[in-house]
Amino acid sequence: MKQLTGILMMLVMTVWAHSAELQSPDGRFHLQFEVKGGIPVYQLTLEGQQVIGESRLGLEIKDMKPLTGDFQLIRVDESSFDETWQPVWGEFKEIRNHYNEMAVTLKQNDPERMMVIRFRLFNDGLGFRYEFPQQDNLTYFVVTDEKTQFAMTGDHTAYWIPGDYDTQEYDYTTSRLSEIRKLMKSAISPNASQTPFSDTGVQTALMMKTDDGLYINLHEAALVNYSCMHLELDDKNMIFEAHLTPDVLGNMAYMQAPTHTPWRTVIASKNAGDILLSNITLNLNDPCAYEDVSWIEPVKYVGVWWEMITGKSSWAYCDLPSVKLGETDYSRVTPNGRHGANTPNVKKTIDFAAEHGFDQVLVEGWNIGWEDWYGKSKEYVFDFLTPYPDFHLEELRDYAKSKGVRLMMHHETSSSVRNYERHLDKAYQFMVDNNYNAVKSGYVGNIIPRGEHHYGQWMVDHYLYAVKKAAEYKIMVNAHEAVRPTGLCRTYPNLIGNESARGTEFEAFGGSHPDHTTILPFTRLIGGPMDYTPGIFEQDISKLNPDNDSHANTTLARQLALYVTMYSPLQMAADLPENYNRFMDAFQFIKDVPVEWDDTKVLEAEPGDFITYARKEKGTGNWFVGRTNDETARVSKIQLDFLEPGKKYEATIYSDAKDAHYKTNPQAYEIKKRTVTSKTKLTIKCAPGGGYAISIIEK
């Protein structure tokens, strides 16, 4: 699957100097490393413009001398690497992995200990990590703090959410770095599980823009056997420092040499679109771990989900205040009449999926235990095997199969993680036995074991364990409320999706800010695809549930655009079939848009304002364009020069009507068809909270 195009021989130097330098393959980025007074520091420039000022490196470890100072630089290893590899699924058919590398070996005395800092400099940014070789004086150790710094060169504009050990489900705030402290309280909204930790702590991926137009993104890659990194801002000196998620004892990571940390990443460009097109996060992960990937397939799905999210239906079969699995007799209880996962309703959704070409149907609330699942710190909450009396599993399995559709499994754990792991093999085998090949897992609420956090090392290990275990059963995983992605989908491509951010469900929980989807591709999606669940055609939630006065802050046309701008190989048409039946001409775009791509272009981009993507369908010459716009009315001007010269295409343009507005007239759209070529230029008006989608099909 991978084609090696060239590896230069490694150059090894034993040095007595205090510094070393590295350039990116194209020479635009320049990294300077130095041991200054025993302290390792680095800085990064792009075409002479400083991206990261002088920043310290190191870690503190429990009951031992810290790995932050008293170092000597004793060796520098330099190499270059250049390969082209093909992802199992993704935004590109091929990805180039081209970097220059420098590994600096540092030595401490009294006691003698070695630490390696490995830098990889790409044409779009930097990755670096700490490595610990086998050695007598540093084998088993506990990280209590990571002192990695990212020194900013000014009071940049940042697009941020509060640092939190348990949730990322916040709206983004756009502000100067110096304003984070005073805005933090208002940026923290309620969540089922949350642990904000600081007035100046923010989460990665963090997107910033300097006053002179440089775009900077800070994140991490290949988060394995370590805790998730946040960023703590020293707002007097404008220096970010790594802040790791602790366990119940306050420890950050338990290590055994030889070992290494995840990569810390800095992506930078003078063009916002380059941030979106960077593949640094994927390239810093290991190649695919599986020899056979034929069972991993992108999925377009519908589901019995939105009706529960809006409150129209219920996950629970009855209204008992307390249930015990194995003791509560569901054949003797009184149904509440609102249970969504009932056989006729699921059959109706299967029929809709089959009629319109969808692959799968997600059904939530199918299994017993939902009556008291949340907020009780209940360990034995689900068994992941036993359906409610009105969910006839075998009948629905066979009915779906007869229609050429699969059911998608749902495993809500209620964050009772030990309970889930105890049931995992049986739950996955149950899926195999009943023709399920994809599971949406959830981790709502506080973690059990109590005191652990969603983003700590213990949970990071669990999420990957579940993915690797699923691969044994040829099952694809879409984990919600899990740690934010860091490119592990390259190594484990059955990790086909994640939520790990504020998704569409919050449009039914009071709404998200209209600029939300103009920021997420610059932040959350830097680490991997998001199961954002777009496609909401009825923005007035009270029409589904009179007791819910929420409003989805988006036009219908922008909902179409999100299938292009919010990349995922797992895409849901989230609304109810009856709402799609009202707008079947617009629904045609959702039916047509693929979930596999050969190429991706960014036509326009400005974080917090707008993004316009063009993507080429896998194996064809067809292209699809999507534009997401913030709350300000704008005019989009694009050129279709990515099309093959000399060829004609039919473009179907789904855009906001002249009087469209995300609040007052969200369902106003128009559809136009025209012939286009590579010389065509388009000017399209975007409503507040609006956007457009275009299918461009070869003639």
Side-chain angles (χ1 to χ4, degrees), residues 43-90:
Q43 51 187 312
L44 180 68
T45 61
L46 171 59
E47 296 179 348
Q49 185 176 352
Q50 198 161 46
V51 180
I52 303 293
E54 186 177 286
S55 301
R56 295 187 176 193
L57 298 166
L59 301 96
E60 292 184 354
I61 50 181
K62 191 171 186 177
D63 299 328
M64 299 175 71
K65 180 179 177 179
L67 295 166
T68 55
D70 195 26
F71 281 110
Q72 291 177 296
L73 175 59
I74 63 168
R75 178 183 170 117
V76 177
D77 298 87
E78 294 184 357
S79 64
S80 294
F81 187 78
D82 192 1
E83 71 168 0
T84 299
W85 59 280
Q86 294 183 344
V88 176
W89 45 259

Side-chain angles (χ1 to χ4, degrees), residues 20 22 31-34 40-43 57 77-79 99-104 106 116-122 126-131 263-264 284:
L22 184 68
L31 171 77
Q32 183 175 344
F33 174 81
E34 184 179 3
V41 298
Y42 77 103
Q43 51 187 312
L57 298 166
D77 298 87
E78 294 184 357
S79 64
Y99 59 82
N100 291 334
E101 180 176 278
M102 179 174 71
V104 296
L106 306 176
V116 177
I117 305 176
R118 188 175 301 275
F119 297 94
R120 288 183 180 172
L121 202 49
F122 302 80
L126 170 68
F128 63 92
R129 72 182 183 187
Y130 302 94
E131 299 179 356
W263 297 93
R264 280 63 186 97
L284 287 170

